PDB file of all heavy atoms in Angstrom:
ATOM      1  N   THR A  46     -12.734  -2.277 -69.731  1.00  0.00           N
ATOM      2  CA  THR A  46     -13.076  -3.711 -69.604  1.00  0.00           C
ATOM      3  C   THR A  46     -12.467  -4.413 -70.925  1.00  0.00           C
ATOM      4  O   THR A  46     -11.917  -3.586 -71.746  1.00  0.00           O
ATOM      5  CB  THR A  46     -14.657  -3.925 -69.652  1.00  0.00           C
ATOM      6  OG1 THR A  46     -15.050  -3.547 -71.071  1.00  0.00           O
ATOM      7  CG2 THR A  46     -15.361  -3.015 -68.722  1.00  0.00           C
ATOM      8  N   GLN A  47     -12.570  -5.686 -71.013  1.00  0.00           N
ATOM      9  CA  GLN A  47     -11.966  -6.356 -72.209  1.00  0.00           C
ATOM     10  C   GLN A  47     -12.701  -6.002 -73.436  1.00  0.00           C
ATOM     11  O   GLN A  47     -12.192  -6.353 -74.521  1.00  0.00           O
ATOM     12  CB  GLN A  47     -11.966  -7.834 -71.973  1.00  0.00           C
ATOM     13  CG  GLN A  47     -10.846  -8.225 -70.860  1.00  0.00           C
ATOM     14  CD  GLN A  47     -10.727  -9.675 -70.709  1.00  0.00           C
ATOM     15  OE1 GLN A  47     -11.045 -10.425 -71.684  1.00  0.00           O
ATOM     16  NE2 GLN A  47     -10.152 -10.042 -69.671  1.00  0.00           N
ATOM     17  N   ALA A  48     -13.969  -5.403 -73.345  1.00  0.00           N
ATOM     18  CA  ALA A  48     -14.593  -5.054 -74.517  1.00  0.00           C
ATOM     19  C   ALA A  48     -14.294  -3.712 -74.993  1.00  0.00           C
ATOM     20  O   ALA A  48     -14.537  -3.304 -76.225  1.00  0.00           O
ATOM     21  CB  ALA A  48     -16.134  -5.059 -74.284  1.00  0.00           C
ATOM     22  N   ASP A  49     -13.530  -2.938 -74.179  1.00  0.00           N
ATOM     23  CA  ASP A  49     -13.169  -1.579 -74.583  1.00  0.00           C
ATOM     24  C   ASP A  49     -11.874  -1.563 -75.407  1.00  0.00           C
ATOM     25  O   ASP A  49     -10.978  -2.433 -75.058  1.00  0.00           O
ATOM     26  CB  ASP A  49     -13.022  -0.677 -73.383  1.00  0.00           C
ATOM     27  CG  ASP A  49     -14.358  -0.398 -72.531  1.00  0.00           C
ATOM     28  OD1 ASP A  49     -15.413  -0.363 -73.354  1.00  0.00           O
ATOM     29  OD2 ASP A  49     -14.366  -0.452 -71.324  1.00  0.00           O
ATOM     30  N   PHE A  58     -15.900   1.234 -85.524  1.00  0.00           N
ATOM     31  CA  PHE A  58     -17.256   1.815 -85.305  1.00  0.00           C
ATOM     32  C   PHE A  58     -17.445   2.098 -83.838  1.00  0.00           C
ATOM     33  O   PHE A  58     -17.339   1.077 -82.993  1.00  0.00           O
ATOM     34  CB  PHE A  58     -18.292   0.783 -85.831  1.00  0.00           C
ATOM     35  CG  PHE A  58     -19.675   1.350 -85.615  1.00  0.00           C
ATOM     36  CD1 PHE A  58     -20.169   2.475 -86.279  1.00  0.00           C
ATOM     37  CD2 PHE A  58     -20.486   0.720 -84.866  1.00  0.00           C
ATOM     38  CE1 PHE A  58     -21.457   2.956 -86.166  1.00  0.00           C
ATOM     39  CE2 PHE A  58     -21.913   1.227 -84.549  1.00  0.00           C
ATOM     40  CZ  PHE A  58     -22.234   2.387 -85.280  1.00  0.00           C
ATOM     41  N   LEU A  83     -24.883  -0.199 -85.857  1.00  0.00           N
ATOM     42  CA  LEU A  83     -24.798  -0.135 -87.308  1.00  0.00           C
ATOM     43  C   LEU A  83     -25.588  -1.320 -87.772  1.00  0.00           C
ATOM     44  O   LEU A  83     -25.232  -2.465 -87.506  1.00  0.00           O
ATOM     45  CB  LEU A  83     -23.333  -0.202 -87.659  1.00  0.00           C
ATOM     46  CG  LEU A  83     -22.942  -0.350 -89.231  1.00  0.00           C
ATOM     47  CD1 LEU A  83     -23.457   0.916 -90.014  1.00  0.00           C
ATOM     48  CD2 LEU A  83     -21.509  -0.482 -89.482  1.00  0.00           C
ATOM     49  N   HIS A 104     -12.079  -7.109 -82.388  1.00  0.00           N
ATOM     50  CA  HIS A 104     -13.237  -7.246 -81.541  1.00  0.00           C
ATOM     51  C   HIS A 104     -14.555  -6.691 -82.134  1.00  0.00           C
ATOM     52  O   HIS A 104     -14.470  -5.634 -82.710  1.00  0.00           O
ATOM     53  CB  HIS A 104     -13.006  -6.415 -80.143  1.00  0.00           C
ATOM     54  CG  HIS A 104     -14.121  -6.428 -79.307  1.00  0.00           C
ATOM     55  ND1 HIS A 104     -14.456  -7.383 -78.225  1.00  0.00           N
ATOM     56  CD2 HIS A 104     -15.245  -5.586 -79.243  1.00  0.00           C
ATOM     57  CE1 HIS A 104     -15.557  -7.079 -77.669  1.00  0.00           C
ATOM     58  NE2 HIS A 104     -16.172  -6.062 -78.220  1.00  0.00           N
ATOM     59  N   ILE A 105     -15.568  -7.416 -82.223  1.00  0.00           N
ATOM     60  CA  ILE A 105     -16.822  -6.969 -82.858  1.00  0.00           C
ATOM     61  C   ILE A 105     -18.013  -7.475 -82.070  1.00  0.00           C
ATOM     62  O   ILE A 105     -17.974  -8.590 -81.566  1.00  0.00           O
ATOM     63  CB  ILE A 105     -16.789  -7.403 -84.335  1.00  0.00           C
ATOM     64  CG1 ILE A 105     -17.996  -6.791 -85.090  1.00  0.00           C
ATOM     65  CG2 ILE A 105     -16.757  -8.833 -84.388  1.00  0.00           C
ATOM     66  CD1 ILE A 105     -17.786  -6.818 -86.612  1.00  0.00           C
ATOM     67  N   GLU A 106     -19.080  -6.570 -81.943  1.00  0.00           N
ATOM     68  CA  GLU A 106     -20.177  -7.097 -81.241  1.00  0.00           C
ATOM     69  C   GLU A 106     -21.359  -7.089 -82.243  1.00  0.00           C
ATOM     70  O   GLU A 106     -21.423  -6.179 -83.135  1.00  0.00           O
ATOM     71  CB  GLU A 106     -20.498  -6.097 -80.018  1.00  0.00           C
ATOM     72  CG  GLU A 106     -19.358  -6.071 -79.078  1.00  0.00           C
ATOM     73  CD  GLU A 106     -19.496  -5.263 -77.841  1.00  0.00           C
ATOM     74  OE1 GLU A 106     -20.674  -4.862 -77.621  1.00  0.00           O
ATOM     75  OE2 GLU A 106     -18.531  -4.949 -77.238  1.00  0.00           O
ATOM     76  N   TRP A 107     -22.237  -8.045 -82.135  1.00  0.00           N
ATOM     77  CA  TRP A 107     -23.367  -8.150 -83.024  1.00  0.00           C
ATOM     78  C   TRP A 107     -24.612  -8.723 -82.405  1.00  0.00           C
ATOM     79  O   TRP A 107     -24.571  -9.242 -81.265  1.00  0.00           O
ATOM     80  CB  TRP A 107     -22.978  -9.156 -84.218  1.00  0.00           C
ATOM     81  CG  TRP A 107     -22.633 -10.500 -83.853  1.00  0.00           C
ATOM     82  CD1 TRP A 107     -21.382 -10.912 -83.431  1.00  0.00           C
ATOM     83  CD2 TRP A 107     -23.496 -11.655 -83.862  1.00  0.00           C
ATOM     84  NE1 TRP A 107     -21.444 -12.328 -83.185  1.00  0.00           N
ATOM     85  CE2 TRP A 107     -22.645 -12.762 -83.391  1.00  0.00           C
ATOM     86  CE3 TRP A 107     -24.865 -11.941 -84.051  1.00  0.00           C
ATOM     87  CZ2 TRP A 107     -23.300 -14.022 -83.254  1.00  0.00           C
ATOM     88  CZ3 TRP A 107     -25.384 -13.219 -83.869  1.00  0.00           C
ATOM     89  CH2 TRP A 107     -24.574 -14.250 -83.511  1.00  0.00           C
ATOM     90  N   ARG A 108     -25.696  -8.344 -83.035  1.00  0.00           N
ATOM     91  CA  ARG A 108     -27.074  -8.668 -82.460  1.00  0.00           C
ATOM     92  C   ARG A 108     -27.962  -9.289 -83.589  1.00  0.00           C
ATOM     93  O   ARG A 108     -28.122  -8.423 -84.603  1.00  0.00           O
ATOM     94  CB  ARG A 108     -27.673  -7.471 -81.829  1.00  0.00           C
ATOM     95  CG  ARG A 108     -28.923  -7.728 -81.093  1.00  0.00           C
ATOM     96  CD  ARG A 108     -29.467  -6.449 -80.587  1.00  0.00           C
ATOM     97  NE  ARG A 108     -29.669  -5.397 -81.523  1.00  0.00           N
ATOM     98  CZ  ARG A 108     -30.018  -4.078 -81.403  1.00  0.00           C
ATOM     99  NH1 ARG A 108     -30.000  -3.685 -80.125  1.00  0.00           N
ATOM    100  NH2 ARG A 108     -30.103  -3.298 -82.345  1.00  0.00           N
ATOM    101  N   ILE A 125     -18.775 -11.788 -91.042  1.00  0.00           N
ATOM    102  CA  ILE A 125     -17.580 -10.859 -91.048  1.00  0.00           C
ATOM    103  C   ILE A 125     -16.531 -11.555 -91.935  1.00  0.00           C
ATOM    104  O   ILE A 125     -16.169 -12.711 -91.685  1.00  0.00           O
ATOM    105  CB  ILE A 125     -16.961 -10.808 -89.566  1.00  0.00           C
ATOM    106  CG1 ILE A 125     -18.141 -10.251 -88.634  1.00  0.00           C
ATOM    107  CG2 ILE A 125     -15.698 -10.029 -89.547  1.00  0.00           C
ATOM    108  CD1 ILE A 125     -18.065 -10.684 -87.294  1.00  0.00           C
ATOM    109  N   VAL A 135     -22.082 -15.102 -88.893  1.00  0.00           N
ATOM    110  CA  VAL A 135     -22.951 -14.359 -87.959  1.00  0.00           C
ATOM    111  C   VAL A 135     -24.300 -14.950 -88.224  1.00  0.00           C
ATOM    112  O   VAL A 135     -24.824 -14.821 -89.344  1.00  0.00           O
ATOM    113  CB  VAL A 135     -22.849 -12.898 -88.105  1.00  0.00           C
ATOM    114  CG1 VAL A 135     -24.053 -12.255 -87.324  1.00  0.00           C
ATOM    115  CG2 VAL A 135     -21.522 -12.283 -87.522  1.00  0.00           C
ATOM    116  N   TRP A 169     -26.947  -8.732 -77.448  1.00  0.00           N
ATOM    117  CA  TRP A 169     -25.676  -8.391 -77.960  1.00  0.00           C
ATOM    118  C   TRP A 169     -24.661  -9.498 -77.651  1.00  0.00           C
ATOM    119  O   TRP A 169     -24.643 -10.113 -76.547  1.00  0.00           O
ATOM    120  CB  TRP A 169     -25.089  -7.114 -77.405  1.00  0.00           C
ATOM    121  CG  TRP A 169     -25.844  -5.925 -78.022  1.00  0.00           C
ATOM    122  CD1 TRP A 169     -26.638  -5.068 -77.444  1.00  0.00           C
ATOM    123  CD2 TRP A 169     -25.477  -5.356 -79.330  1.00  0.00           C
ATOM    124  NE1 TRP A 169     -27.094  -4.049 -78.350  1.00  0.00           N
ATOM    125  CE2 TRP A 169     -26.253  -4.273 -79.489  1.00  0.00           C
ATOM    126  CE3 TRP A 169     -24.610  -5.745 -80.363  1.00  0.00           C
ATOM    127  CZ2 TRP A 169     -26.367  -3.530 -80.705  1.00  0.00           C
ATOM    128  CZ3 TRP A 169     -24.693  -5.040 -81.559  1.00  0.00           C
ATOM    129  CH2 TRP A 169     -25.553  -3.899 -81.772  1.00  0.00           C
ATOM    130  N   GLN A 170     -23.855  -9.850 -78.652  1.00  0.00           N
ATOM    131  CA  GLN A 170     -22.816 -10.870 -78.592  1.00  0.00           C
ATOM    132  C   GLN A 170     -21.551 -10.411 -78.997  1.00  0.00           C
ATOM    133  O   GLN A 170     -21.434  -9.475 -79.740  1.00  0.00           O
ATOM    134  CB  GLN A 170     -23.262 -12.040 -79.420  1.00  0.00           C
ATOM    135  CG  GLN A 170     -24.734 -12.354 -79.413  1.00  0.00           C
ATOM    136  CD  GLN A 170     -25.106 -13.798 -79.836  1.00  0.00           C
ATOM    137  OE1 GLN A 170     -24.354 -14.731 -79.578  1.00  0.00           O
ATOM    138  NE2 GLN A 170     -26.278 -13.924 -80.399  1.00  0.00           N
ATOM    139  N   THR A 171     -20.423 -11.003 -78.581  1.00  0.00           N
ATOM    140  CA  THR A 171     -19.117 -10.619 -78.927  1.00  0.00           C
ATOM    141  C   THR A 171     -18.348 -11.713 -79.766  1.00  0.00           C
ATOM    142  O   THR A 171     -18.521 -12.845 -79.433  1.00  0.00           O
ATOM    143  CB  THR A 171     -18.320 -10.330 -77.734  1.00  0.00           C
ATOM    144  OG1 THR A 171     -18.221 -11.423 -76.888  1.00  0.00           O
ATOM    145  CG2 THR A 171     -18.959  -9.198 -76.898  1.00  0.00           C
ATOM    146  N   TYR A 172     -17.617 -11.237 -80.605  1.00  0.00           N
ATOM    147  CA  TYR A 172     -16.567 -12.102 -81.244  1.00  0.00           C
ATOM    148  C   TYR A 172     -15.174 -11.435 -80.996  1.00  0.00           C
ATOM    149  O   TYR A 172     -15.065 -10.199 -81.205  1.00  0.00           O
ATOM    150  CB  TYR A 172     -16.617 -12.139 -82.774  1.00  0.00           C
ATOM    151  CG  TYR A 172     -17.710 -13.104 -83.260  1.00  0.00           C
ATOM    152  CD1 TYR A 172     -18.292 -12.998 -84.547  1.00  0.00           C
ATOM    153  CD2 TYR A 172     -18.034 -14.267 -82.624  1.00  0.00           C
ATOM    154  CE1 TYR A 172     -19.224 -13.896 -85.099  1.00  0.00           C
ATOM    155  CE2 TYR A 172     -18.980 -15.147 -83.069  1.00  0.00           C
ATOM    156  CZ  TYR A 172     -19.575 -14.928 -84.323  1.00  0.00           C
ATOM    157  OH  TYR A 172     -20.443 -15.953 -84.845  1.00  0.00           O
ATOM    158  N   ASP A 173     -14.259 -12.119 -80.465  1.00  0.00           N
ATOM    159  CA  ASP A 173     -12.881 -11.708 -80.432  1.00  0.00           C
ATOM    160  C   ASP A 173     -12.028 -12.658 -81.226  1.00  0.00           C
ATOM    161  O   ASP A 173     -12.031 -13.879 -80.975  1.00  0.00           O
ATOM    162  CB  ASP A 173     -12.388 -11.720 -78.949  1.00  0.00           C
ATOM    163  CG  ASP A 173     -12.994 -10.526 -78.180  1.00  0.00           C
ATOM    164  OD1 ASP A 173     -12.545  -9.290 -78.308  1.00  0.00           O
ATOM    165  OD2 ASP A 173     -14.010 -10.733 -77.409  1.00  0.00           O
ATOM    166  N   ASN A 198     -18.648 -14.754 -77.337  1.00  0.00           N
ATOM    167  CA  ASN A 198     -19.014 -14.451 -75.926  1.00  0.00           C
ATOM    168  C   ASN A 198     -18.086 -14.919 -74.905  1.00  0.00           C
ATOM    169  O   ASN A 198     -18.465 -15.445 -73.772  1.00  0.00           O
ATOM    170  CB  ASN A 198     -20.433 -14.991 -75.704  1.00  0.00           C
ATOM    171  CG  ASN A 198     -21.520 -14.389 -76.620  1.00  0.00           C
ATOM    172  OD1 ASN A 198     -21.448 -13.166 -76.977  1.00  0.00           O
ATOM    173  ND2 ASN A 198     -22.422 -15.201 -77.116  1.00  0.00           N
ATOM    174  N   VAL A 238     -29.311  -7.452 -89.144  1.00  0.00           N
ATOM    175  CA  VAL A 238     -28.410  -7.708 -88.077  1.00  0.00           C
ATOM    176  C   VAL A 238     -27.652  -6.411 -87.668  1.00  0.00           C
ATOM    177  O   VAL A 238     -27.338  -5.641 -88.518  1.00  0.00           O
ATOM    178  CB  VAL A 238     -27.420  -8.834 -88.472  1.00  0.00           C
ATOM    179  CG1 VAL A 238     -26.315  -9.010 -87.457  1.00  0.00           C
ATOM    180  CG2 VAL A 238     -28.187 -10.112 -88.720  1.00  0.00           C
ATOM    181  N   SER A 239     -27.362  -6.199 -86.387  1.00  0.00           N
ATOM    182  CA  SER A 239     -26.778  -4.982 -85.981  1.00  0.00           C
ATOM    183  C   SER A 239     -25.362  -5.287 -85.478  1.00  0.00           C
ATOM    184  O   SER A 239     -25.034  -6.405 -84.984  1.00  0.00           O
ATOM    185  CB  SER A 239     -27.567  -4.332 -84.883  1.00  0.00           C
ATOM    186  OG  SER A 239     -28.834  -4.063 -85.230  1.00  0.00           O
ATOM    187  N   PHE A 240     -24.473  -4.221 -85.543  1.00  0.00           N
ATOM    188  CA  PHE A 240     -23.164  -4.239 -85.037  1.00  0.00           C
ATOM    189  C   PHE A 240     -22.870  -3.113 -84.221  1.00  0.00           C
ATOM    190  O   PHE A 240     -23.481  -1.989 -84.437  1.00  0.00           O
ATOM    191  CB  PHE A 240     -22.142  -4.342 -86.276  1.00  0.00           C
ATOM    192  CG  PHE A 240     -22.215  -5.657 -87.158  1.00  0.00           C
ATOM    193  CD1 PHE A 240     -23.029  -5.593 -88.198  1.00  0.00           C
ATOM    194  CD2 PHE A 240     -21.540  -6.746 -86.759  1.00  0.00           C
ATOM    195  CE1 PHE A 240     -23.249  -6.782 -89.016  1.00  0.00           C
ATOM    196  CE2 PHE A 240     -21.645  -7.897 -87.541  1.00  0.00           C
ATOM    197  CZ  PHE A 240     -22.585  -7.907 -88.751  1.00  0.00           C
ATOM    198  N   ARG A 241     -21.840  -3.254 -83.307  1.00  0.00           N
ATOM    199  CA  ARG A 241     -21.428  -2.108 -82.503  1.00  0.00           C
ATOM    200  C   ARG A 241     -19.978  -2.372 -82.005  1.00  0.00           C
ATOM    201  O   ARG A 241     -19.516  -3.541 -82.043  1.00  0.00           O
ATOM    202  CB  ARG A 241     -22.389  -1.815 -81.298  1.00  0.00           C
ATOM    203  CG  ARG A 241     -22.322  -2.806 -80.206  1.00  0.00           C
ATOM    204  CD  ARG A 241     -23.269  -2.440 -79.074  1.00  0.00           C
ATOM    205  NE  ARG A 241     -22.968  -3.388 -77.954  1.00  0.00           N
ATOM    206  CZ  ARG A 241     -23.695  -3.523 -76.796  1.00  0.00           C
ATOM    207  NH1 ARG A 241     -24.632  -2.607 -76.643  1.00  0.00           N
ATOM    208  NH2 ARG A 241     -23.418  -4.325 -75.915  1.00  0.00           N
ATOM    209  N   ASN A 242     -19.398  -1.392 -81.393  1.00  0.00           N
ATOM    210  CA  ASN A 242     -18.112  -1.483 -80.785  1.00  0.00           C
ATOM    211  C   ASN A 242     -17.124  -2.404 -81.515  1.00  0.00           C
ATOM    212  O   ASN A 242     -16.715  -3.482 -81.163  1.00  0.00           O
ATOM    213  CB  ASN A 242     -18.233  -2.046 -79.259  1.00  0.00           C
ATOM    214  CG  ASN A 242     -17.030  -1.892 -78.507  1.00  0.00           C
ATOM    215  OD1 ASN A 242     -16.060  -1.161 -78.766  1.00  0.00           O
ATOM    216  ND2 ASN A 242     -16.877  -2.781 -77.492  1.00  0.00           N
ATOM    217  N   ILE A 243     -16.698  -1.914 -82.655  1.00  0.00           N
ATOM    218  CA  ILE A 243     -15.846  -2.617 -83.603  1.00  0.00           C
ATOM    219  C   ILE A 243     -14.342  -2.087 -83.404  1.00  0.00           C
ATOM    220  O   ILE A 243     -14.296  -0.862 -83.746  1.00  0.00           O
ATOM    221  CB  ILE A 243     -16.310  -2.649 -85.113  1.00  0.00           C
ATOM    222  CG1 ILE A 243     -17.808  -3.061 -85.103  1.00  0.00           C
ATOM    223  CG2 ILE A 243     -15.486  -3.592 -85.799  1.00  0.00           C
ATOM    224  CD1 ILE A 243     -18.399  -2.841 -86.550  1.00  0.00           C
ATOM    225  N   TRP A 244     -13.448  -2.721 -83.108  1.00  0.00           N
ATOM    226  CA  TRP A 244     -12.076  -2.321 -83.028  1.00  0.00           C
ATOM    227  C   TRP A 244     -11.068  -3.243 -83.438  1.00  0.00           C
ATOM    228  O   TRP A 244     -11.417  -4.492 -83.311  1.00  0.00           O
ATOM    229  CB  TRP A 244     -11.744  -1.568 -81.700  1.00  0.00           C
ATOM    230  CG  TRP A 244     -12.041  -2.329 -80.410  1.00  0.00           C
ATOM    231  CD1 TRP A 244     -12.909  -2.259 -79.600  1.00  0.00           C
ATOM    232  CD2 TRP A 244     -11.055  -3.366 -79.808  1.00  0.00           C
ATOM    233  NE1 TRP A 244     -12.817  -3.123 -78.489  1.00  0.00           N
ATOM    234  CE2 TRP A 244     -11.652  -3.768 -78.669  1.00  0.00           C
ATOM    235  CE3 TRP A 244      -9.849  -3.837 -80.196  1.00  0.00           C
ATOM    236  CZ2 TRP A 244     -11.121  -4.709 -77.838  1.00  0.00           C
ATOM    237  CZ3 TRP A 244      -9.258  -4.776 -79.334  1.00  0.00           C
ATOM    238  CH2 TRP A 244      -9.846  -5.274 -78.145  1.00  0.00           C
TER     239      TRP A 244
END
Side-chain angles (χ1 to χ4, degrees):
T46 72
Q47 286 186 23
D49 296 321
F58 180 66
L83 174 62
H104 174 90
I105 186 163
E106 300 180 17
W107 60 274
R108 180 182 63 188
I125 297 147
V135 167
W169 282 106
Q170 318 205 31
T171 61
Y172 279 156
D173 287 283
N198 296 323
V238 174
S239 299
F240 296 90
R241 72 174 186 189
N242 192 22
I243 310 172
W244 53 262

